[in-house]
Amino acid sequence: MSDLTHVRADGSAHMVNVAGKAVTQRSASAAGRVLLHPDAIAALRDGAVPKGDAIAVARIAGLQAAKRTPELIPLAHPIAVHGVEVDLDVADDGVDIRATVVTADRTGIEMEALTCVSVAALALIDMVKAVDKHARITDVRVVAKSGGRSGDWHE
């Protein structure tokens, strides 16, 4: 287990000390989907979701989630979130969600991007559940990252 950075020799988890790492600009993008029934798609497109503007609520929920990631993910470092972009695009079979989160800090921001997409998806389901009880979150993943020791990556 000595190769695992977040595991001590005795097997217990711990938060890695990043104090000695250089501050660099970093970004991460994540994406996911919420699969919806055609009735829910129509309600989104027509502005007829009973609870209100589902897309706006989901976007704000994602923004808030990115900033609160270390409260939700035990070993995520509290880092400065300098920018968050959340896009929700209504498609014929659901809503595509993409988030990009930016920081200038000592560790990556992938968890913030994933949390943003995940919570935006959960909020969207909460908003449309009266119209679609079978909504399903799928394909949540990191799609790109830049900065830091490991450099740039995209799917």
Side-chain angles (χ1 to χ4, degrees):
M1 288 195 187
S2 62
D3 293 342
L4 302 176
T5 59
H6 288 73
V7 179
R8 293 184 184 130
D10 68 359
S12 61
H14 74 104
M15 181 181 275
V16 173
N17 181 353
V18 297
K21 293 175 74 174
V23 171
T24 60
Q25 186 166 330
R26 301 159 185 263
S27 70
S29 296
R33 302 194 84 224
V34 177
L35 299 177
L36 296 169
H37 187 276
D39 292 343
I41 298 296
L44 285 170
R45 288 183 170 153
D46 296 341
V49 174
K51 286 180 111 174
D53 188 344
I55 299 298
V57 168
R59 182 178 294 109
I60 295 298
L63 291 166
Q64 289 179 315
K67 297 185 295 182
R68 301 189 77 166
T69 298
E71 295 174 34
L72 302 169
I73 308 298
L75 298 182
H77 289 86
I79 61 177
V81 173
H82 292 114
V84 181
E85 291 290 330
V86 186
D87 295 309
L88 293 95
D89 296 312
V90 180
D92 290 340
D93 63 345
V95 176
D96 294 310
I97 304 170
R98 185 175 176 106
T100 299
V101 186
V102 178
T103 189
D105 217 312
R106 292 175 167 84
T107 190
I109 198 152
E110 296 90 346
M111 293 311 300
E112 286 74 6
L114 287 166
T115 302
C116 179
V117 168
S118 298
V119 172
L122 290 167
L124 182 66
I125 287 177
D126 181 54
M127 293 296 291
V128 302
K129 66 186 177 191
V131 181
D132 187 352
K133 297 192 181 343
H134 301 286
R136 186 173 72 217
I137 299 169
T138 184
D139 299 322
V140 175
R141 69 214 182 271
V142 174
V143 296
K145 67 173 278 320
S146 68
R149 184 185 61 198
S150 60
D152 297 354
W153 173 87
H154 64 87
E155 69 171 12

